[in-house]
Amino acid sequence: MIMKDRVGGLHRGLTRRSFVESAAALLSVPFVARATAAWAQERLAGSGEVVVFSYGGSYTQAVRKYVYEPFTKATGIAVIDVTADIAEPQVRAMTRAGRVDWDVALIDGQNYPTMHDAGLFQSIDYGLWDDEALKGAPQSARLSDAVVAFRSTTLLAYDERSFPKGGPQNWADFWSVKAFPGPRGLSSVARHMVLALAADGVPNSDRWPLTDDKVERALKKLSEIKPNVAKWWTAGGEPVQALINREFVMTSCYDGRAVSAIRQGAPIRMVWSGGNLVYVYWTVLKGAPNSGNAQKLVAFLNRAQNAAAFTMGTNLTGPNVNQLQHLPADLVPLLSITEDNASQLVAQDDAWLAAKRPDGKTNVDHLQERWLAWRAQ
């Protein structure tokens, strides 16, 4: 699950509360008010409510203050949060029961293909979007029944204090213990073994799909670095905390977590080369009780200034590149949608992960089995 790994307490001095307060300081109320006044259009006005899945914690606090409340002020539509760890099981259960209580859900990219095929989502009404939003969000982010809510990248992050003359620049450097000594951290997520392929010289264009021969190659490469991995982290806050506490000199890390820490003064540097890019989607559920309002919320979220507010509040980046014009200059280089950073990333092949193998298992389940077997060695 993505969100619980990407938002939360950073370390003892950077709690959920301080994270939200620092984000609040960066994004002023006048900024939001101007954005609301400038972009609210008559076609989004309405009444009633829209029920939206939320991850809770600092994410919900930030999105409510900097996006949902301006949406309500601009349109007259109230936003009701429903909180759960992940949305997918609940969406499937509601659909089976024939009673859908939510309107909008966040769906992880690797779960989207199967749920799309099952017809669980309504088509997105792009007729509600203004021209700027359509041009700013690339076609690849605007699917027939889903829109990218935010991009999440697993990338290399290092402690600048450990390498005052310059740190690692790519995953090959991560594997170079002689040139860059010190304990490492790596994610315990099976699909992140693709990062080892980057270290082994596999071109970005050839990383996915993660076929059996590539799995073996990745695991062989991981065996080289295994003695130097101090911890296989599981929660998204762990790698940032370990860098700050000097338990790691470098680690794989979620970009949103790193951005949060950097914005609060942590001596962390992000390396985008070969990062693994995944998407989380906004979806309007089939059978949603307030589907019209849901479509208006999705349209509102993807306008440039509202997208910028979402980024400022959550440190998670939506797809509309026009938001870069409305963000602080020091934040822009830290985001995955800048041309330079985006060009270095590899998008995860969600369709392949969801596809079934001849034995009936999905590819993601197969990867998990191979991963656990290797870890047990």
Side-chain angles (χ1 to χ4, degrees):
M1 204 291 296
I2 288 184
M3 194 63 221
K4 287 295 183 182
D5 283 349
R6 286 169 174 70
V7 173
L10 299 176
H11 67 103
R12 292 178 182 176
L14 300 179
T15 63
R16 284 192 173 199
R17 176 174 294 179
S18 64
F19 160 72
V20 175
E21 289 174 348
S22 65
L26 293 169
L27 184 61
S28 66
V29 172
F31 176 95
V32 177
R34 288 195 299 271
T36 300
W39 293 100
Q41 295 183 4
E42 188 65 31
R43 60 186 171 182
L44 297 188
S47 60
E49 65 185 28
V50 57
V51 180
V52 183
F53 164 83
S54 187
Y55 299 113
S58 56
Y59 171 87
T60 297
Q61 296 175 49
V63 175
R64 168 155 294 285
K65 184 171 184 178
Y66 297 111
V67 182
Y68 293 165
E69 290 179 4
F71 170 76
T72 298
K73 183 176 180 180
T75 66
I77 300 168
V79 179
I80 307 300
D81 297 306
V82 290
T83 302
D85 285 342
I86 53 177
E88 289 85 350
Q90 288 87 337
V91 171
R92 292 188 177 102
M94 286 188 293
T95 301
R96 285 194 300 268
R99 178 179 174 179
V100 177
D101 298 320
W102 302 354
D103 300 303
V104 178
L106 288 163
I107 302 297
D108 288 358
Q110 70 180 44
N111 296 317
Y112 166 77
T114 301
M115 299 178 76
H116 162 80
D117 291 343
L120 302 186
F121 311 130
Q122 294 186 26
S123 297
I124 300 298
D125 184 359
Y126 290 108
L128 291 173
W129 290 40
D130 58 26
D131 187 60
E132 175 277 317
L134 290 170
K135 290 180 178 177
Q139 184 64 49
S140 60
R142 295 185 279 113
L143 309 184
S144 62
D145 59 355
V147 179
V148 171
F150 58 86
R151 301 153 54 95
S152 180
T153 302
T154 302
L155 44 64
L156 194 165
Y158 67 89
D159 176 11
E160 292 182 305
R161 296 168 298 182
S162 298
F163 306 107
K165 296 182 180 180
Q169 299 301 304
N170 49 52
W171 287 104
D173 287 347
F174 186 96
W175 258 252
S176 182
V177 178
K178 184 176 181 179
F180 301 97
R184 271 84 163 143
L186 279 173
S187 167
S188 60
V189 176
R191 66 181 183 274
H192 290 163
M193 68 176 73
V194 295
L195 302 175
L197 294 177
D200 205 34
V202 175
N204 287 351
S205 59
D206 294 338
R207 273 198 0 207
W208 292 95
L210 195 53
T211 52
D212 289 352
D213 59 323
K214 293 177 188 174
V215 169
E216 297 307 317
R217 182 173 177 177
L219 293 177
K220 181 180 179 181
K221 189 67 175 177
L222 281 163
S223 294
E224 296 177 9
I225 198 67
K226 194 175 186 180
N228 301 100
V229 176
K231 186 173 185 179
W232 301 90
W233 54 266
T234 55
E238 290 181 82
V240 168
Q241 179 176 339
L243 286 174
I244 293 171
N245 294 344
R246 311 196 81 160
E247 299 169 35
F248 300 158
V249 296
M250 64 183 76
T251 182
S252 61
C253 182
Y254 296 127
D255 62 330
R257 289 284 190 166
V259 170
S260 297
I262 292 169
R263 294 285 284 172
Q264 295 178 68
I268 293 172
R269 179 68 60 88
M270 296 188 293
V271 178
W272 295 93
S273 176
N276 190 61
L277 173 66
V278 301
Y279 301 113
V280 175
Y281 295 98
W282 292 115
T283 61
V284 178
L285 303 184
K286 186 72 67 68
N290 306 288
S291 60
N293 288 344
Q295 298 284 0
K296 291 177 180 179
L297 176 62
V298 172
F300 183 89
L301 286 162
N302 282 281
R303 290 172 171 165
Q305 288 181 299
N306 302 326
F310 180 90
T311 297
M312 290 288 288
T314 66
N315 291 310
L316 299 169
T317 311
N320 190 338
V321 297
N322 291 329
Q323 70 174 288
L324 297 175
Q325 304 169 31
H326 306 286
L327 292 169
D330 65 322
L331 176 59
V332 170
L334 304 179
L335 302 179
S336 67
I337 59 172
T338 66
E339 184 176 356
D340 182 57
N341 294 341
S343 67
Q344 302 180 64
L345 305 180
V346 182
Q348 181 172 280
D349 191 338
D350 291 323
W352 180 84
L353 286 170
K356 289 188 175 182
R357 299 168 61 86
D359 62 3
K361 298 176 181 177
T362 62
N363 283 316
V364 71
D365 288 338
H366 174 73
L367 290 182
Q368 184 68 12
E369 290 180 358
R370 291 291 297 115
W371 175 252
L372 292 175
W374 176 83
R375 287 283 306 277
Q377 293 174 0

